Amino acid sequence: MKNKVYINGMGAVTAQGNWRDSFWAESQEIRYPITKAVQPSYKDLIPPSMVRRMSRGIKMGIYAAQQALDDAGIALPDAIITGTGLGCSEDSEKFLRNILDNEEQFLTPTSFIQSTHNTVAAQIALRLQCKGYNFTYVNRSVSFESALLDGLVQLQHGEADQLLVGGVDEVSDHTYMLLQRIGHIKPDGITETVRESQSIGVNYAEGASFFALSGTKTERSYAELADVLLRNVVEQEELGAFVQSFLEHNGLQISDVDTLVLGINGDQEYDSYYRSVMEFCPDANVLYYKHLVGQFDSCSAFALIVAAYVATMQTVDPILHWEAPSAKRPIRNILLYNHYKGRDHSLLLVRTC
C-alpha cells in the first residue's frame, strides 16, 4: 500500500518578498511586464564573499530551501529535488558576454561553473552537506511538477522519508528581451493586472518556492499531497475528461472539489483553458496567484503554497479570490491546475490532513 505524503514545511522568495505570516496582507498585484523578486537578507545564511558571486536564483533557492527546512524542523533531508525552466540564466548570459567582450581570453570560470541548471540544488546540498539523491528537472513550465512527481513516488514507495523539493527561476535581461520580442511577455508600457488584462502575453517575474515533504505526519503538517498528473497536450474540449479521470483515480467526484487553484496569468489567448475548468467545477471556490508572483516556468510551485496554507487555515484571504464564493464550504479537497500556452498541463490534488 502506498504511503501518504505530507507537506511539513514551506519557504519562498517572490515578487512580494519572502514567505511570512503577513504575506497576503502586505501583497500588491503585479502590473508591469517584468518584476524582479524582492530579495531578503542573506547575511545569516551565506558568507558575504560567496553572496557576491552568486546569482539571484542561487540565493533565492538557498533561502527558500532553508526556510522550508526550518519550518518543518528538519536539519538534513534525505534528498533534494528541484525544478527549473531556465536555470541560472543570469550566469549563463554573463559567461557568454565575457566570451565576446574578452575575445575568448582571460575568462574567469565562476560564471561558467554556476551557469548549469542543477547549480541551485548543488549549492543547497553543499551548504547542508547532504550527500543523498540530488536531481534537477528542466521541463519548461512543468519543471516543478516533474520534481514533485519524483518526490511523491519516492515517498509513497518508501525510498526516502524526508525530502526537500522546490522550483526556482530568475530573470535575466537578454532572456527577458527575447521572450518579450516573441510575444510571451507583454510589451513595455502596458500596465495591466491579471484581472484587467485585455492583451496577449504575461507579466513576467522570478522566484523560488521550496517544500519539506515527508511520509510522516507531524504537528507541523500543512496538508496531504495526494497526487500529481502531467500531460503535454490536452485540447480545450478534452479538459473535462482530463480532470474527471484524475479525480476518479483518486476516488473523488467533481462535487468533492471545494477549491480550485488556477494559474490564470492574464494572457488572453490562453486563459480560456482556465475558464473551461471553472465551468467544469461550478461549485468550487476559485483562487488564483500569478497576479502576486507573476509568470515564470516554476511559478506553479507557489500554487502549492497557496493550497497548503488554505488547507491549514480553512480560510482564504480576499486577495486570492478570482470569484467570491457563493457559499462558504469546508476546505477538504483542493485541485490545482496549470498550463502554459495550451501545453504542459498539470493537475495536483491536495487534501486536508
Side-chain angles (χ1 to χ4, degrees):
M1 183 176 178
K2 291 183 178 180
N3 300 320
K4 291 186 176 182
V5 175
Y6 299 97
I7 302 170
N8 289 347
M10 307 189 300
V13 178
T14 74
Q16 310 294 337
N18 59 290
W19 176 246
R20 57 199 184 277
D21 292 338
S22 58
F23 189 91
W24 311 120
E26 296 173 357
S27 292
Q28 296 182 342
E29 294 188 54
I30 292 174
R31 57 171 58 249
Y32 299 102
I34 185 71
T35 304
K36 293 187 177 182
V38 177
Q39 302 293 304
S41 172
Y42 298 111
K43 63 181 181 180
D44 294 332
L45 293 180
I46 312 170
S49 59
M50 295 180 65
V51 168
R52 290 193 295 270
R53 295 194 297 269
M54 288 181 174
S55 69
R56 290 191 313 281
I58 298 172
K59 292 184 286 189
M60 290 189 297
I62 290 175
Y63 187 96
Q66 188 60 54
Q67 193 176 32
L69 293 174
D70 290 345
D71 192 25
I74 298 171
L76 186 66
D78 298 326
I80 299 170
I81 311 173
T82 62
T84 179
L86 295 174
C88 298
S89 54
E90 190 176 34
D91 276 313
S92 299
E93 290 184 8
K94 188 182 298 183
F95 180 71
L96 293 173
R97 194 178 299 114
N98 286 337
I99 290 178
L100 295 174
D101 293 344
N102 295 290
E103 298 180 346
E104 302 183 22
Q105 301 180 70
F106 314 117
L107 299 174
T108 58
T110 304
S111 295
F112 174 73
I113 293 168
Q114 296 186 164
S115 67
T116 58
H117 289 72
N118 63 344
T119 300
V120 176
Q123 289 288 345
I124 294 170
L126 284 170
R127 181 178 170 274
L128 297 174
Q129 288 298 293
C130 176
K131 298 178 175 62
Y133 180 81
N134 190 301
F135 207 89
T136 297
Y137 286 86
V138 186
N139 293 341
R140 305 260 330 232
S141 58
V142 289
S143 297
F144 168 71
E145 288 86 344
S146 300
L148 196 63
L149 182 59
D150 186 352
L152 189 70
V153 170
Q154 291 204 39
L155 290 170
Q156 286 182 335
H157 291 85
E159 297 295 326
D161 188 57
Q162 304 286 350
L163 294 185
L164 181 64
V165 181
V168 56
D169 276 292
E170 64 186 11
V171 167
S172 53
D173 294 338
H174 188 71
T175 301
Y176 162 70
M177 179 194 70
L178 295 176
L179 290 173
Q180 190 177 46
R181 185 169 293 180
I182 62 176
H184 285 214
I185 299 175
K186 294 185 186 298
D188 290 336
I190 292 182
T191 56
E192 297 175 330
T193 65
V194 168
R195 188 180 291 278
E196 295 169 348
S197 178
Q198 299 295 320
S199 59
I200 63 172
V202 301
N203 290 334
Y204 204 74
E206 63 182 359
S209 298
F210 273 79
F211 303 86
L213 304 180
S214 177
T216 303
K217 181 182 177 182
T218 72
E219 60 181 14
R220 299 173 183 262
S221 297
Y222 287 91
E224 176 195 348
L225 176 62
D227 202 1
V228 179
L229 177 64
L230 312 179
R231 188 172 298 174
N232 177 244
V233 179
V234 181
E235 300 301 330
Q236 191 166 340
E237 59 272 17
E238 298 173 343
L239 278 174
F242 178 55
V243 171
Q244 186 165 359
S245 174
F246 177 71
L247 293 175
E248 288 177 352
H249 177 72
N250 287 280
L252 299 175
Q253 301 297 321
I254 297 299
S255 58
D256 295 321
V257 177
D258 45 70
T259 305
L260 284 174
V261 182
L262 302 179
I264 304 166
N265 61 14
D267 187 340
Q268 289 305 296
E269 190 172 3
Y270 293 102
D271 270 355
S272 57
Y273 282 80
Y274 297 112
R275 289 191 287 272
S276 295
V277 174
M278 287 185 221
E279 293 169 0
F280 193 68
C281 303
D283 298 325
N285 186 11
V286 180
L287 312 182
Y288 72 135
Y289 58 95
K290 291 181 183 176
H291 61 309
L292 302 179
V293 299
Q295 173 72 50
F296 50 95
D297 284 331
S298 59
C299 65
S300 53
F302 192 78
L304 188 56
I305 287 185
V306 172
Y309 183 83
V310 166
T312 301
M313 303 305 294
Q314 289 292 302
T315 186
V316 179
D317 192 276
I319 200 169
L320 293 171
H321 282 299
W322 177 255
E323 295 176 350
S326 56
K328 184 175 177 57
R329 298 175 59 184
I331 299 173
R332 296 191 180 91
N333 299 300
I334 305 173
L335 181 66
L336 289 68
Y337 168 62
N338 189 58
H339 74 89
Y340 187 61
K341 290 192 171 295
R343 291 293 184 268
D344 295 334
H345 302 260
S346 65
L347 292 171
L348 277 65
L349 178 62
V350 173
R351 291 172 169 152
T352 52
C353 61

